Amino acid sequence: MSDVKVNFLHPTDGRLLTVTVDDTMTAREAISELIANEFIHPNQQGYELAIKGGVAFPHENSFCDADVKYNDTIRIIPATDTAGEGRIH
């Protein structure tokens, strides 16, 4: 286990929050901390995290599991119920 400095990118206003986290922290724990510290507001559908330029990683994955590197930017993505959207009819 080791510490990693990351930049969380706010989902609506583009603000960056730079913090050092333990790389064993899971995405779920990070989202809970971001809400508890009022960087983001609770969202009924929840949030996902993704390394900028990559895909979202599962909530149970740690930052180490997701291969988060020092100084990576982590996008906070509001989850939405998009079932059925984007299909060509």
Side-chain angles (χ1 to χ4, degrees):
M1 109 174 124
S2 64
D3 290 340
V4 61
K5 184 179 104 175
V6 296
N7 306 293
F8 287 103
L9 178 62
H10 193 276
T12 57
D13 66 17
R15 285 182 293 145
L16 283 178
L17 173 68
T18 302
V19 294
T20 300
V21 298
D22 189 308
D23 69 358
T24 62
M25 177 179 270
T26 65
R28 178 175 285 109
E29 292 168 334
I31 291 164
S32 293
E33 286 294 315
L34 290 164
I35 292 169
N37 288 287
E38 299 181 350
F39 184 66
I40 54 176
H41 297 293
N43 176 10
Q44 189 172 3
Q45 284 84 27
Y47 291 95
E48 295 180 317
L49 299 181
I51 299 170
K52 191 172 182 181
V55 297
F57 50 92
H59 284 180
E60 62 276 358
N61 276 23
S62 70
F63 281 60
C64 181
D65 293 337
D67 203 28
V68 174
K69 304 279 191 251
Y70 185 83
N71 219 23
D72 273 350
T73 296
I74 307 296
R75 294 184 308 123
I76 304 167
I77 307 162
T80 57
D81 182 7
T82 58
E85 290 185 13
R87 287 193 207 151
I88 299 172
H89 296 287

